[in-house]
Structures are given as C-alpha cells and as structure tokens.
C-alpha cells in the first residue's frame, strides 16, 4: 500500500476514534468490528453496478461462505464456497462472484459454471488489504441471486511481496485430483498456476517504485473437451492462484486448464483421468 494511503488511513482512524462512542468497538483491544451479515458503502456501490435492479437474497440456505474471523496473513486468506444444491439441468449455479469490500480491486473472481461441475463448491485463497467483509453471490439458472458474507480481520494483503525465487516457473499449471474418481459423480480436483500475481501495490526496495501489476486473468477448465467452468480473476486472488473444484467424468478423458495472464501470456496444464 502507498505510504500516503497509510497516513491517510491512520488520520481517518484517529478522527474516528476521537468521535466514536465506546459501544462502536465490539472487538477486543478496541479494534473495530462488524457483524458477518452487515453491508458497507463499498458493497452497496458495487452491488448496484453488478446487479442493477436485482434483489439479493441473504442467508445460507443456498450458498455459504466459510472464512476465518482472524487471518494471520492478509496475502493468503483461505475461503470456501459451499453450494447447497447439486448442478442439475433444471436448476443449477450459473455464476459465482467473490468480493472483498475494502480491497483496491473488490471483485476478486467471477466463475461461470456448467452442470459439468456437478457440485458448485470452490476453495481458494484471497488477498485482504484491511478489515473487510468477504462475500459470495450465487446466481442460479433461474436468475435468482443468493449471497453470504464473513467479516475478516487482517491487513496488508495487497502490498505483501510474493515469492520471486523461481521466475522461470511462472505460468506452470498443475492439475491434481483431490478425491477418488467415480464415474458420473462429482470428483474434487485442484488447479494451481505458479505466478506472483503482482498487485501493483508492492514497492521495489531498490528503485523505490511500485512493481507493475501482473496477474492471472483467466483460468478455463474443461474435461474431455467439454467446459467445466471459466474463472475471470483479479489480483485479489493470492499468488500462485489455486482453485479447488469438482467435475463429473463420464468416462476416461483429459482434464485441462487454459490460463491467460495480464501480459497476454498463455499457459496450460493437463491431467489424464480414468
């Protein structure tokens, strides 16, 4: 984060402390807190742009977001999306949106799904720059929107330096199974892309200039030539972006991930299944 922004946040925090009543601070040690289901000005603005005129139904009846209340490292906060309905042609999860309210880039990921996912559960790691709500919006095939959120206490996620020890490995795409293969049943798998996912908010300690953003923009996963899901990502996803997902094999085939980053570099990885 830029030093001027740090100073501005510090001054704003001191001003808020001076005028806020003691009851405004619910967390231990005087740190600000919020309920998991609360809104925020940032979310209200973004939701109005993403879903104009639409009603978002809160609660965990259709989708649930799991994330830690306190994360030790803001650059790698684990989140899990649990969908409460199977991917059936008559009704399925069509898109998932992952949002971090207070990040410089709030929309971390948009996942465009098919019924080939089988079960629309996903896991990944996100950068969280300051105390913030993390949200998921599940758009069903009938057009309804369902949302859940968690308040996460951590900071510094967008300015933390990534590991740069192996630049020659940038783009290497790895696929592995995370469960037993059962034909015509959802099978868990992981896709990982080795990539620094530079945010543009990290200072080069030698030049004292910001390192330009450079991150994975899209991951498209298919099985036996059929689309499973497409993921459009931003730098709010942690370095070496990883997605745990499901797919339904209907016989032997190749699991494939095609990757593009913001420099238009293209990579891919494959895994024989069955």
């Amino acid at each position: 984060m830029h030093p001027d922004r740090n100073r501005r946040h510090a001054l704003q925090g001191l001003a808020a402390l001076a005028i806020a009543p003691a009851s405004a601070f619910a967390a231990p040690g005087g740190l600000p807190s919020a309920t998991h289901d609360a809104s925020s000005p940032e979310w209200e603005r973004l939701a109005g742009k993403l879903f104009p005129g639409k009603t978002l139904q809160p609660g965990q009846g259709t989708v649930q977001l799991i994330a830690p209340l306190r994360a030790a490292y803001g650059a790698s906060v684990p989140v899990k999306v649990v969908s409460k309905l199977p991917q059936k042609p008559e009704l399925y999860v069509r898109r998932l949106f992952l949002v971090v309210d207070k990040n410089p880039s709030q929309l971390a990921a948009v996942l465009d799904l098919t019924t080939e996912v089988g079960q629309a559960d996903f896991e990944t790691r996100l950068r969280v720059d300051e105390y913030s709500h993390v949200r998921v919006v599940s758009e069903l095939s009938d057009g309804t929107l369902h949302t859940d959120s968690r308040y996460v206490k951590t900071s510094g996620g967008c300015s933390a330096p990534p590991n740069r020890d192996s630049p020659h490995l940038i783009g290497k795409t790895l696929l592995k199974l995370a469960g037993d293969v059962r034909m015509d049943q959802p099978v868990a798998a992981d896709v990982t892309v080795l990539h620094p996912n530079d945010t543009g908010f990290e200072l080069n300690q030698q030049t004292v200039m910001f390192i330009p953003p450079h991150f994975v923009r899209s991951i498209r996963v298919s099985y036996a030539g059929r689309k499973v899901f497409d993921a459009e990502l931003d730098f709010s996803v942690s370095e070496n972006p990883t997605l745990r997902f499901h797919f339904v094999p209907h016989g032997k085939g190749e699991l494939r991930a095609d990757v593009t980053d913001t420099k238009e570099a293209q990579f891919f990885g494959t895994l024989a299944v069955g």
Side-chain angles (χ1 to χ4, degrees):
M1 185 179 291
H2 196 281
D4 288 342
R5 190 175 171 192
N6 279 333
R7 287 194 291 270
R8 184 169 66 252
H9 281 194
L11 290 172
Q12 290 172 342
L14 288 172
L17 284 169
I19 63 174
S23 60
F25 302 97
L31 294 175
S33 189
T35 59
H36 291 301
D37 59 354
S39 186
S40 73
E42 295 86 357
W43 171 236
E44 294 292 335
R45 287 193 294 269
L46 182 62
K49 294 177 181 178
L50 291 176
F51 315 108
K54 300 291 184 66
T55 298
L56 276 67
Q57 302 177 34
Q60 299 181 343
T62 301
V63 65
Q64 180 181 5
L65 182 73
I66 300 172
L69 173 60
R70 294 184 183 275
Y73 186 41
S76 186
V77 178
V79 297
K80 181 177 182 178
V81 174
V82 178
S83 296
K84 302 299 180 70
L85 71 159
Q87 295 288 91
K88 299 294 184 181
E90 56 269 22
L91 185 65
Y92 62 94
V93 179
R94 183 165 57 195
R95 290 188 187 89
L96 290 170
F97 301 79
L98 279 175
V99 171
V100 185
D101 285 12
K102 300 289 187 179
N103 272 12
S105 180
Q106 297 164 272
L107 187 58
V110 179
L111 306 173
D112 188 78
L113 314 181
T114 70
T115 55
E116 296 298 317
V117 169
Q119 180 64 36
D121 294 353
F122 282 84
E123 296 179 52
T124 190
R125 291 181 177 270
L126 299 179
R127 292 184 167 108
V128 178
D129 205 39
E130 57 182 279
Y131 284 29
S132 177
H133 284 90
V134 178
R135 305 181 191 274
V136 63
V137 176
S138 176
E139 178 186 335
L140 303 189
S141 56
D142 65 0
T144 59
L145 298 168
H146 304 263
T147 185
D148 190 32
S149 58
R150 298 289 293 174
Y151 189 67
V152 176
K153 298 180 180 182
T154 191
S155 61
C158 292
S159 57
N163 187 325
R164 303 183 188 279
D165 291 343
S166 303
H168 62 287
L169 294 179
I170 288 178
K172 185 173 183 179
T173 302
L174 307 171
L175 286 159
K176 69 175 183 178
L177 299 179
D180 295 332
V181 175
R182 299 157 296 172
M183 293 299 165
D184 301 313
Q185 297 292 324
V187 177
D190 295 334
V191 57
T192 299
V193 183
L194 302 184
H195 203 288
N197 256 29
D198 286 311
T199 65
F201 290 89
E202 181 202 348
L203 278 174
N204 183 312
Q205 298 302 315
Q206 295 181 332
T207 65
V208 199
M209 297 179 67
F210 288 104
I211 297 171
H214 178 210
F215 52 89
V216 171
R217 173 59 78 191
S218 69
I219 301 175
R220 306 182 187 280
V221 175
S222 61
Y223 181 71
R226 300 175 66 175
K227 172 183 169 179
V228 178
F229 70 90
D230 294 342
E232 297 297 322
L233 310 177
D234 211 298
F235 61 69
S236 287
V237 177
S238 300
E239 68 172 295
N240 301 327
T242 296
L243 292 169
R244 173 161 289 186
F245 61 95
H246 291 80
F247 71 103
V248 179
H250 301 293
K252 292 183 179 180
E254 180 182 79
L255 188 63
R256 180 183 175 99
D258 290 280
V259 179
T260 303
D261 74 7
T262 52
K263 292 184 178 180
E264 300 303 324
Q266 297 184 350
F267 320 100
F268 72 92
T270 60
L271 178 68
V273 178

